[in-house]
Amino acid sequence: MGTLLEYALIQVFHNFGALLVVGLSGYGFRVALRHPPPQMLALLVMLAWLAQGLTGATFGWVTYRSDHRLPDIHGIAVGALMIKISCVGMGVGLMATCLRWGPSWSAHRRMAIWAGSTVLACLALTAAAFLRWFS
Ligand code: HEM
């Protein structure tokens, strides 16, 4: 019961994190054509990407602590997990460049970066379904 509750609570944070990366990246993309999205938005999206990595890793840690082994996944599930981890790495990277250089970018560059974060978030969300059902 204790471990199941832990998984459920981690999943709550992980699901809301997914909502934030998809929703806020999409919002950034929508406004980027007209004006630079506030730096605070880039910071929020970067933190949301990091939270996804952290809560995702916490799933594995809870399994390791209770079963003394990492989750037993193969094939498509491993591929889906690698895709998710790569999306987090690239998402954090995109938002970090946005925080550093965003204010001096052209509208097209801004749109490309925010579109990138949106596409990565959708890709991770799609991979989540494959990780769930092939593991
Ligand atoms: C380092 C990155 C990540 C790791 C290690 C990770 C890990 C996990 C794990 C272990 C689960 C539970 C799988 C299961 O129920 O069998 C999960 C579920 C989920 N993840 Fe992630 N995740 C990561 C990133 C992301 C990202 C970036 C998103 C979305 C933008 C995301 C969205 C979801 C969703 C929606 C679920 C629930 C799937 C379902 O139960 O149908 N994850 N993730």
Side-chain angles (χ1 to χ4, degrees):
M1 170 64 191
T3 308
L4 291 182
L5 183 63
E6 281 177 284
Y7 281 127
L9 292 177
I10 297 163
Q11 187 81 64
V12 169
F13 285 103
H14 200 65
N15 286 4
F16 277 103
L19 177 71
L20 286 178
V21 281
V22 174
L24 294 181
S25 299
Y27 174 74
F29 175 62
R30 207 177 97 91
V31 300
L33 181 62
R34 299 218 193 117
H35 52 80
Q39 289 293 81
M40 182 58 88
L41 187 67
L43 181 63
L44 271 178
V45 175
M46 189 171 88
L47 291 177
W49 275 118
L50 285 169
Q52 283 313 86
L54 191 69
T55 49
T58 311
F59 278 122
W61 176 71
V62 169
T63 301
Y64 188 76
R65 205 198 47 199
S66 65
D67 300 355
H68 307 291
R69 55 163 188 82
L70 286 172
D72 189 19
I73 57 171
H74 308 277
I76 291 177
V78 174
L81 183 59
M82 291 304 142
I83 290 174
K84 286 175 110 186
I85 293 172
S86 310
C87 288
V88 169
M90 289 188 276
V92 171
L94 284 182
M95 288 302 113
T97 57
C98 196
L99 277 172
R100 175 71 183 79
W101 294 288
S104 62
W105 281 341
S106 67
H108 276 99
R109 171 65 60 88
R110 283 200 303 265
M111 281 188 72
I113 294 294
W114 285 95
S117 185
T118 308
V119 168
L120 287 171
C122 292
L123 184 61
L125 210 49
T126 305
F130 285 82
L131 175 60
R132 168 77 174 77
W133 291 104
F134 284 89
S135 59

